Amino acid sequence: MPELVLDRVTKQFQNKIAVDQVSLRLTEGVHGFLGANGAGKTTLLRMLCGVLKPSAGEILCNGAQIRGMDGEYRHMLGYLPQDFGYYPDFSAKRYLEYLAACKAVPKDLAKDKVQEVLQLVGLSGEQKHKIKTFSGGMIRRLGIAQALLNDPEILILDEPTSGLDPKERIRFRNIISAMSKGRIVILSTHIVSDVEFIADQILLMKQGRIVEQGTSREVTKSAEGRVWEYLAEPEEAQRLNEQFAVSNLKNEGDQVYLRIVADTCPCKGAVNAEPGLEDVYLYHFKEAAENVENLERRNL
């Protein structure tokens, strides 16, 4: 089984530290990196792929530095970047055959491997169609297929469900879960539901550091005592929504149900609630959410 070890890995771009002394041990299963845009997830993944060199620290695969493994490490690796390149006038089959050749998949195996990955991602019936006719979900599935052509032991997926509708996201999650046996799957996302049910380990990344790590149950425990439920009158609900991080707001008759994330009781009558992963995300990344909201208001 493969093993990746990160030892105080840091990446600095001029005056900005994108990844700050991250130390991890990754083994078989799905590892979900969850964080707001700009948290350092993509930079970390690009270092894991060997695309970027760390400013400090080491990345080891089965005890060897990946920088020294060269082609051996690339053969172990499958990568789906957030925006992967493809030829729109190629059919799905031709595109995968071309990439199989680029990845040095033996000719006697390539044909069967192309059919295998097309079937896995549900594109067998579309293989002769040009990629430019594909929906966004089909293109993302094609991206997974190309990442699997060399039967990688380490699969790295950067924002794989970005832009997909809920049905395609569920399909994508099921594909990822099914292929995780015997592999290290590293999935970076800012969408909580992408990792909540399929990740063996969740890693919350903020400002280049890992701030929480563990199973979904372990990570949600960090928000115990910080999630509150309250029924408010509309005017009070508006005030609380502006003052606190609110993970859920719902009209219930003449009142408004609020689910508030706060270190202390936000108002008289609020009661503690069982935390979920979305609550943990909001607790750690509420500043990022507020910045996005402020930007959207300025652009209205």
Side-chain angles (χ1 to χ4, degrees):
M1 294 291 179
E3 178 188 68
L4 283 173
V5 174
L6 290 78
D7 181 17
R8 294 166 292 179
V9 171
T10 298
K11 185 63 181 179
Q12 183 169 349
F13 298 100
Q14 296 181 344
N15 296 325
K16 177 178 172 57
I17 297 177
V19 175
D20 191 5
Q21 295 192 10
V22 170
S23 294
L24 295 170
R25 178 177 174 268
L26 305 175
T27 56
E28 176 188 2
V30 179
H31 305 269
F33 283 77
L34 188 61
N37 292 329
K41 305 186 304 298
T42 293
T43 300
L44 182 61
L45 264 58
R46 286 168 66 84
M47 288 191 288
L48 284 168
C49 289
V51 176
L52 289 177
K53 181 180 177 181
S55 303
E58 294 182 329
I59 301 175
L60 307 175
C61 178
N62 296 337
Q65 289 195 33
I66 64 170
R67 285 180 295 173
M69 295 176 68
D70 198 23
E72 180 186 357
Y73 184 66
R74 288 199 301 271
H75 181 71
M76 297 175 66
L77 190 69
Y79 179 40
L80 173 61
Q82 190 169 353
D83 297 304
F84 77 98
Y86 59 89
Y87 300 99
D89 285 319
F90 275 27
S91 68
K93 179 174 178 288
R94 184 186 174 197
Y95 171 71
L96 292 177
E97 288 173 343
Y98 167 72
L99 286 184
C102 292
K103 294 186 178 190
V105 178
K107 284 187 177 182
D108 58 332
L109 300 178
K111 184 177 179 180
D112 288 342
K113 193 63 185 177
V114 166
Q115 292 304 316
E116 178 186 326
V117 297
L118 282 168
Q119 183 173 359
L120 178 64
V121 301
L123 289 175
S124 293
E126 311 292 337
Q127 61 180 288
K128 294 182 180 180
H129 296 164
K130 290 185 177 182
I131 301 173
K132 66 183 179 183
T133 67
F134 283 9
S135 67
M138 292 165 71
I139 289 173
R140 298 309 285 175
R141 281 187 271 149
L142 185 65
I144 273 281
Q146 63 81 25
L148 291 170
L149 278 170
N150 57 326
D151 198 21
E153 296 177 67
I154 301 166
L155 185 62
I156 298 179
L157 311 169
D158 191 4
E159 298 284 357
T161 65
S162 178
L164 301 188
D165 63 34
K167 182 179 178 181
E168 280 288 0
R169 287 218 306 272
I170 292 168
R171 182 203 288 264
F172 209 93
R173 291 202 304 266
N174 290 341
I175 291 171
I176 292 167
S177 184
M179 67 178 63
S180 63
K181 188 69 175 175
R183 287 190 175 96
I184 296 175
V185 179
I186 299 169
L187 189 159
S188 163
T189 185
H190 63 279
I191 302 172
V192 173
S193 60
D194 279 356
V195 297
E196 186 169 15
F197 301 111
I198 66 167
D200 299 289
Q201 181 176 219
I202 292 171
L203 303 101
L204 270 69
M205 195 167 184
K206 181 180 181 181
Q207 296 178 347
R209 289 181 173 267
I210 304 298
V211 295
E212 293 285 350
Q213 177 181 354
T215 64
S216 180
R217 185 181 296 273
E218 290 168 344
V219 169
T220 54
K221 284 186 71 175
S222 68
E224 283 185 353
R226 298 187 173 106
V227 182
W228 310 83
E229 292 180 329
Y230 183 61
L231 274 176
E233 299 299 321
E235 287 187 5
E236 185 185 12
Q238 183 176 348
R239 177 181 61 80
L240 290 170
N241 191 34
E242 292 172 352
Q243 186 176 356
F244 295 98
V246 175
S247 62
N248 194 11
L249 184 151
K250 181 182 177 183
N251 290 315
E252 293 192 357
D254 294 332
Q255 293 183 302
V256 180
Y257 165 82
L258 297 168
R259 187 176 176 91
I260 301 169
V261 182
D263 286 317
T264 57
C265 184
C267 58
K268 186 177 180 180
V271 296
N272 270 136
E274 187 75 19
L277 193 56
E278 281 192 343
D279 300 311
V280 179
Y281 184 92
L282 188 61
Y283 177 73
H284 284 288
F285 304 110
K286 56 189 174 185
E287 301 93 346
E290 289 166 0
N291 290 340
V292 170
E293 287 176 3
N294 291 336
L295 180 62
E296 288 175 346
R297 289 193 190 104
R298 288 200 298 269
N299 290 334
L300 288 177

